[in-house]
Amino acid sequence: MEPALADPSKWQQFLEGFELFRDPLLCALLAGGVLGFLSVYVVLRRMVFVSAAVAQSAGLGVALAFYMGIHLGFAVEPVIGATALALLATLLLMMDPSRLRLTRESLLGLAYALSGGAAVLVGDRIAQESHDIQGILFGTAVLVTPEQLRTVAIASLLVMAIHLWWYRGITFASFDRIGALVQGLPVRLLDGVLMVSIGVMVGVCARALGALPVFAFSTLSAIAALMLDLRLPWTFFVATLAGIISGVGGYMFAYFFDFPVGGSQTVVASLLVAVAMASRMILQWAQRVR
């Protein structure tokens, strides 16, 4: 039996219905690229679980928006709920937990567990939207509405414009905080811009694609790039490219092999890490046998 990918009718259906797939592909490209870029900060600053907690909070924000519309008659756009809760979680995680005799890991665990549990409880009370809630949490949604694509595109353009404009300052403040303070850079402002950027992108992308692939884009892209031991600008470039490949490649894989989109995008991101790891091992072996 021929593989499904080689079935010309499948390609023909894809090409004929490309207008239907165009928006999800563009959304995956933008979300994967920008979150892949930001993932370098997330991984090098050891904030991997910050991304997980913020993505989980975005899922809770969407669930609360549905709940308010159904049970309280107070309509709130789900993307606003996702962005608001993602920003709230980001600001909470920017606090100094030592004042409360807590470690940062404790605060992360609390934020992740509370938002995840609350999303399940709220989802239990809005059974008519349970499919949407599952799609948001695990990325099983197939289609992206024009409004969601427009929101992701605007957020992506704004975030990338700011980060390319302030690239030197943000990287200096992120990876050499003391040196940046000595040079007189506004470290707290630059930190705030970075954290708000992560919160906004995670919020709007989680509403469109789901929390699971958003977490994969914002962590695994940088892990794959860092395996190659490149200079920092090239690491940002490769991480951005890895995010794009994960988003677009995962969507294509899900379409041709009939798998859930979010899970496929996450698996493709993980495979890129495996490929980078294998490349690094081969290079190290080649250097030893010279």
Side-chain angles (χ1 to χ4, degrees):
M1 183 177 176
E2 292 294 329
L5 186 59
D7 185 354
S9 64
K10 196 82 173 179
W11 277 106
Q12 191 173 358
Q13 290 173 15
F14 178 78
L15 293 175
E16 288 176 352
F18 182 74
E19 191 173 345
L20 183 66
F21 307 121
R22 182 190 57 202
D23 286 359
L25 284 170
L26 283 174
C27 189
L29 185 149
L30 290 169
V34 179
L35 288 171
F37 180 90
L38 295 175
S39 69
V40 178
Y41 295 111
V42 171
V43 173
L44 287 181
R45 293 186 58 165
R46 300 182 179 180
M47 301 190 302
V48 169
F49 290 104
V50 170
S51 177
V54 173
Q56 196 79 310
S57 300
L60 173 61
V62 175
L64 285 173
F66 280 127
Y67 183 88
M68 293 172 71
I70 293 170
H71 293 288
L72 304 180
F74 185 66
V76 176
E77 283 295 324
V79 69
I80 294 177
T83 306
L85 264 290
L87 281 174
L88 181 63
T90 303
L91 295 176
L92 176 68
L93 296 173
M94 286 175 65
M95 293 173 52
D96 181 6
S98 62
R99 296 178 181 176
L100 303 173
R101 296 181 181 275
L102 291 173
T103 63
R104 190 164 297 280
E105 287 73 18
S106 303
L107 201 59
L108 281 171
L110 173 64
Y112 182 84
L114 177 60
S115 55
V120 172
L121 293 182
V122 175
D124 186 65
R125 290 294 182 268
I126 47 176
Q128 57 268 55
E129 304 289 353
S130 60
H131 179 73
D132 284 338
I133 298 298
Q134 290 296 316
I136 291 158
L137 293 178
F138 302 109
T140 56
V142 176
L143 300 177
V144 171
T145 66
E147 290 76 17
Q148 290 170 355
L149 174 61
R150 193 178 306 118
T151 304
V152 171
I154 292 171
S156 300
L157 290 174
L158 287 175
V159 166
M160 285 309 299
I162 292 171
H163 277 264
L164 292 178
W165 184 21
W166 288 2
Y167 172 76
R168 288 180 181 275
I170 294 176
T171 52
F172 195 15
S174 294
F175 306 133
D176 186 2
R177 189 179 183 85
I178 295 176
L181 285 169
V182 171
Q183 292 291 325
L185 289 180
V187 173
R188 290 179 65 86
L189 172 64
L190 296 171
D191 267 351
V193 169
L194 174 62
M195 297 300 287
V196 169
S197 300
I198 294 171
V200 168
M201 282 306 299
V202 168
V204 299
C205 295
R207 172 65 186 107
L209 302 176
L212 180 62
V214 164
F215 175 65
F217 298 157
S218 58
T219 55
L220 298 180
S221 306
I223 293 173
L226 290 167
M227 283 281 176
L228 302 178
D229 200 19
L230 303 168
R231 297 184 64 180
L232 191 58
W234 281 105
T235 300
F236 275 103
F237 176 76
V238 173
T240 303
L241 188 62
I244 291 172
I245 293 173
S246 303
V248 176
Y251 190 90
M252 298 287 287
F253 180 85
Y255 172 78
F256 284 107
F257 294 97
D258 298 323
F259 282 112
V261 174
S264 299
Q265 291 171 328
T266 304
V267 168
V268 170
S270 304
L271 289 176
L272 291 179
V273 175
V275 170
M277 191 182 300
S279 301
R280 184 183 179 93
M281 292 174 67
I282 291 171
L283 286 174
Q284 289 177 337
W285 174 79
Q287 289 173 350
R288 282 199 298 269
V289 299
R290 277 181 185 174

